[in-house]
PDB file of all heavy atoms in Angstrom:
ATOM      1  N   GLU E 249       2.457  21.549 -10.396  1.00 31.00           N
ATOM      2  CA  GLU E 249       2.554  22.488 -11.500  1.00 31.00           C
ATOM      3  C   GLU E 249       3.275  21.841 -12.668  1.00 31.00           C
ATOM      4  O   GLU E 249       4.320  21.214 -12.504  1.00 31.00           O
ATOM      5  CB  GLU E 249       3.317  23.731 -11.040  1.00 31.00           C
ATOM      6  CG  GLU E 249       3.418  24.800 -12.128  1.00 31.00           C
ATOM      7  CD  GLU E 249       4.204  25.987 -11.652  1.00 31.00           C
ATOM      8  OE1 GLU E 249       4.640  25.972 -10.493  1.00 31.00           O
ATOM      9  OE2 GLU E 249       4.377  26.936 -12.436  1.00 31.00           O
ATOM     10  N   LEU E 250       2.702  22.014 -13.882  1.00 28.00           N
ATOM     11  CA  LEU E 250       3.336  21.479 -15.077  1.00 28.00           C
ATOM     12  C   LEU E 250       4.431  22.426 -15.541  1.00 28.00           C
ATOM     13  O   LEU E 250       4.247  23.637 -15.560  1.00 28.00           O
ATOM     14  CB  LEU E 250       2.297  21.319 -16.197  1.00 28.00           C
ATOM     15  CG  LEU E 250       1.125  20.401 -15.895  1.00 28.00           C
ATOM     16  CD1 LEU E 250       0.218  20.314 -17.110  1.00 28.00           C
ATOM     17  CD2 LEU E 250       1.611  19.023 -15.522  1.00 28.00           C
ATOM     18  N   LYS E 251       5.539  21.852 -15.912  1.00 33.00           N
ATOM     19  CA  LYS E 251       6.671  22.639 -16.412  1.00 33.00           C
ATOM     20  C   LYS E 251       7.176  22.004 -17.692  1.00 33.00           C
ATOM     21  O   LYS E 251       8.339  21.641 -17.811  1.00 33.00           O
ATOM     22  CB  LYS E 251       7.771  22.721 -15.355  1.00 33.00           C
ATOM     23  CG  LYS E 251       7.335  23.408 -14.062  1.00 33.00           C
ATOM     24  CD  LYS E 251       8.443  23.445 -13.050  1.00 33.00           C
ATOM     25  CE  LYS E 251       8.009  24.123 -11.775  1.00 33.00           C
ATOM     26  NZ  LYS E 251       9.080  24.138 -10.760  1.00 33.00           N
ATOM     27  N   LEU E 252       6.269  21.862 -18.670  1.00 32.00           N
ATOM     28  CA  LEU E 252       6.618  21.179 -19.909  1.00 32.00           C
ATOM     29  C   LEU E 252       6.609  22.157 -21.071  1.00 32.00           C
ATOM     30  O   LEU E 252       5.817  23.098 -21.106  1.00 32.00           O
ATOM     31  CB  LEU E 252       5.609  20.057 -20.197  1.00 32.00           C
ATOM     32  CG  LEU E 252       5.400  19.038 -19.082  1.00 32.00           C
ATOM     33  CD1 LEU E 252       4.429  17.981 -19.543  1.00 32.00           C
ATOM     34  CD2 LEU E 252       6.714  18.404 -18.693  1.00 32.00           C
ATOM     35  N   VAL E 253       7.470  21.885 -22.049  1.00 32.00           N
ATOM     36  CA  VAL E 253       7.427  22.673 -23.264  1.00 32.00           C
ATOM     37  C   VAL E 253       6.333  22.115 -24.148  1.00 32.00           C
ATOM     38  O   VAL E 253       5.813  21.030 -23.931  1.00 32.00           O
ATOM     39  CB  VAL E 253       8.786  22.613 -24.001  1.00 32.00           C
ATOM     40  CG1 VAL E 253       9.877  23.185 -23.140  1.00 32.00           C
ATOM     41  CG2 VAL E 253       9.121  21.196 -24.419  1.00 32.00           C
ATOM     42  N   SER E 254       5.959  22.854 -25.181  1.00 31.00           N
ATOM     43  CA  SER E 254       4.945  22.382 -26.115  1.00 31.00           C
ATOM     44  C   SER E 254       5.406  21.124 -26.829  1.00 31.00           C
ATOM     45  O   SER E 254       6.574  20.998 -27.188  1.00 31.00           O
ATOM     46  CB  SER E 254       4.661  23.477 -27.156  1.00 31.00           C
ATOM     47  OG  SER E 254       3.932  22.937 -28.241  1.00 31.00           O
ATOM     48  N   PRO E 255       4.492  20.163 -27.073  1.00 31.00           N
ATOM     49  CA  PRO E 255       4.880  18.958 -27.823  1.00 31.00           C
ATOM     50  C   PRO E 255       5.389  19.272 -29.224  1.00 31.00           C
ATOM     51  O   PRO E 255       6.034  18.444 -29.837  1.00 31.00           O
ATOM     52  CB  PRO E 255       3.580  18.153 -27.874  1.00 31.00           C
ATOM     53  CG  PRO E 255       2.785  18.649 -26.704  1.00 31.00           C
ATOM     54  CD  PRO E 255       3.127  20.101 -26.590  1.00 31.00           C
ATOM     55  N   LYS E 256       5.094  20.472 -29.718  1.00 32.00           N
ATOM     56  CA  LYS E 256       5.521  20.841 -31.060  1.00 32.00           C
ATOM     57  C   LYS E 256       6.846  21.610 -31.049  1.00 32.00           C
ATOM     58  O   LYS E 256       7.231  22.197 -32.048  1.00 32.00           O
ATOM     59  CB  LYS E 256       4.445  21.703 -31.725  1.00 32.00           C
ATOM     60  CG  LYS E 256       3.116  20.960 -31.917  1.00 32.00           C
ATOM     61  CD  LYS E 256       2.091  21.833 -32.605  1.00 32.00           C
ATOM     62  CE  LYS E 256       0.761  21.094 -32.811  1.00 32.00           C
ATOM     63  NZ  LYS E 256      -0.237  21.928 -33.482  1.00 32.00           N
ATOM     64  N   ALA E 257       7.526  21.586 -29.921  1.00 32.00           N
ATOM     65  CA  ALA E 257       8.790  22.307 -29.831  1.00 32.00           C
ATOM     66  C   ALA E 257       9.821  21.696 -30.758  1.00 32.00           C
ATOM     67  O   ALA E 257       9.686  20.571 -31.222  1.00 32.00           O
ATOM     68  CB  ALA E 257       9.310  22.281 -28.384  1.00 32.00           C
ATOM     69  N   ALA E 258      10.876  22.458 -31.005  1.00 30.00           N
ATOM     70  CA  ALA E 258      11.949  21.984 -31.876  1.00 30.00           C
ATOM     71  C   ALA E 258      12.610  20.760 -31.270  1.00 30.00           C
ATOM     72  O   ALA E 258      12.613  20.576 -30.057  1.00 30.00           O
ATOM     73  CB  ALA E 258      12.977  23.105 -32.065  1.00 30.00           C
ATOM     74  N   PRO E 259      13.214  19.898 -32.122  1.00 36.00           N
ATOM     75  CA  PRO E 259      13.840  18.679 -31.603  1.00 36.00           C
ATOM     76  C   PRO E 259      14.842  18.938 -30.496  1.00 36.00           C
ATOM     77  O   PRO E 259      14.910  18.207 -29.533  1.00 36.00           O
ATOM     78  CB  PRO E 259      14.506  18.079 -32.840  1.00 36.00           C
ATOM     79  CG  PRO E 259      13.671  18.571 -33.990  1.00 36.00           C
ATOM     80  CD  PRO E 259      13.225  19.951 -33.600  1.00 36.00           C
ATOM     81  N   GLY E 260      15.616  19.988 -30.608  1.00 38.00           N
ATOM     82  CA  GLY E 260      16.580  20.276 -29.563  1.00 38.00           C
ATOM     83  C   GLY E 260      15.923  20.587 -28.239  1.00 38.00           C
ATOM     84  O   GLY E 260      16.383  20.176 -27.176  1.00 38.00           O
ATOM     85  N   ALA E 261      14.796  21.319 -28.279  1.00 35.00           N
ATOM     86  CA  ALA E 261      14.087  21.646 -27.049  1.00 35.00           C
ATOM     87  C   ALA E 261      13.489  20.400 -26.432  1.00 35.00           C
ATOM     88  O   ALA E 261      13.483  20.220 -25.229  1.00 35.00           O
ATOM     89  CB  ALA E 261      12.995  22.677 -27.343  1.00 35.00           C
ATOM     90  N   GLU E 262      12.964  19.488 -27.267  1.00 46.00           N
ATOM     91  CA  GLU E 262      12.390  18.247 -26.746  1.00 46.00           C
ATOM     92  C   GLU E 262      13.443  17.446 -26.001  1.00 46.00           C
ATOM     93  O   GLU E 262      13.193  16.913 -24.932  1.00 46.00           O
ATOM     94  CB  GLU E 262      11.808  17.413 -27.890  1.00 46.00           C
ATOM     95  CG  GLU E 262      10.565  18.019 -28.512  1.00 46.00           C
ATOM     96  CD  GLU E 262      10.011  17.146 -29.626  1.00 46.00           C
ATOM     97  OE1 GLU E 262      10.656  16.130 -29.959  1.00 46.00           O
ATOM     98  OE2 GLU E 262       8.956  17.475 -30.152  1.00 46.00           O
ATOM     99  N   ALA E 263      14.636  17.366 -26.586  1.00 47.00           N
ATOM    100  CA  ALA E 263      15.689  16.585 -25.953  1.00 47.00           C
ATOM    101  C   ALA E 263      16.058  17.158 -24.603  1.00 47.00           C
ATOM    102  O   ALA E 263      16.455  16.432 -23.694  1.00 47.00           O
ATOM    103  CB  ALA E 263      16.912  16.529 -26.861  1.00 47.00           C
ATOM    104  N   GLY E 264      15.935  18.493 -24.431  1.00 56.00           N
ATOM    105  CA  GLY E 264      16.313  19.112 -23.179  1.00 56.00           C
ATOM    106  C   GLY E 264      15.222  19.142 -22.149  1.00 56.00           C
ATOM    107  O   GLY E 264      15.497  19.337 -20.971  1.00 56.00           O
ATOM    108  N   ASP E 265      13.963  18.984 -22.553  1.00 85.00           N
ATOM    109  CA  ASP E 265      12.860  19.166 -21.622  1.00 85.00           C
ATOM    110  C   ASP E 265      12.093  17.895 -21.304  1.00 85.00           C
ATOM    111  O   ASP E 265      11.384  17.860 -20.307  1.00 85.00           O
ATOM    112  CB  ASP E 265      11.891  20.216 -22.169  1.00 85.00           C
ATOM    113  CG  ASP E 265      12.483  21.610 -22.134  1.00 85.00           C
ATOM    114  OD1 ASP E 265      12.375  22.262 -21.085  1.00 85.00           O
ATOM    115  OD2 ASP E 265      13.062  22.034 -23.141  1.00 85.00           O
ATOM    116  N   PHE E 266      12.191  16.886 -22.126  1.00 94.00           N
ATOM    117  CA  PHE E 266      11.517  15.613 -21.862  1.00 94.00           C
ATOM    118  C   PHE E 266      12.555  14.564 -21.519  1.00 94.00           C
ATOM    119  O   PHE E 266      13.657  14.546 -22.077  1.00 94.00           O
ATOM    120  CB  PHE E 266      10.702  15.167 -23.070  1.00 94.00           C
ATOM    121  CG  PHE E 266       9.565  16.098 -23.397  1.00 94.00           C
ATOM    122  CD1 PHE E 266       9.625  16.929 -24.502  1.00 94.00           C
ATOM    123  CD2 PHE E 266       8.435  16.147 -22.601  1.00 94.00           C
ATOM    124  CE1 PHE E 266       8.589  17.791 -24.806  1.00 94.00           C
ATOM    125  CE2 PHE E 266       7.398  17.002 -22.893  1.00 94.00           C
ATOM    126  CZ  PHE E 266       7.465  17.835 -23.997  1.00 94.00           C
ATOM    127  N   ILE E 267      12.225  13.688 -20.619  1.00 95.00           N
ATOM    128  CA  ILE E 267      13.171  12.678 -20.140  1.00 95.00           C
ATOM    129  C   ILE E 267      12.605  11.299 -20.402  1.00 95.00           C
ATOM    130  O   ILE E 267      11.533  10.944 -19.892  1.00 95.00           O
ATOM    131  CB  ILE E 267      13.456  12.872 -18.641  1.00 95.00           C
ATOM    132  CG1 ILE E 267      14.134  14.230 -18.414  1.00 95.00           C
ATOM    133  CG2 ILE E 267      14.325  11.734 -18.103  1.00 95.00           C
ATOM    134  CD1 ILE E 267      14.311  14.590 -16.971  1.00 95.00           C
ATOM    135  N   SER E 268      13.328  10.502 -21.182  1.00 96.00           N
ATOM    136  CA  SER E 268      12.942   9.120 -21.450  1.00 96.00           C
ATOM    137  C   SER E 268      13.656   8.164 -20.505  1.00 96.00           C
ATOM    138  O   SER E 268      13.046   7.247 -19.953  1.00 96.00           O
ATOM    139  CB  SER E 268      13.263   8.751 -22.902  1.00 96.00           C
ATOM    140  OG  SER E 268      13.024   7.378 -23.142  1.00 96.00           O
TER     141      SER E 268
END
Side-chain angles (χ1 to χ4, degrees):
E249 182 182 359
L250 301 182
K251 298 179 180 179
L252 306 182
V253 299
S254 166
K256 297 181 180 180
E262 291 181 355
D265 290 274
F266 296 107
I267 297 173
S268 174

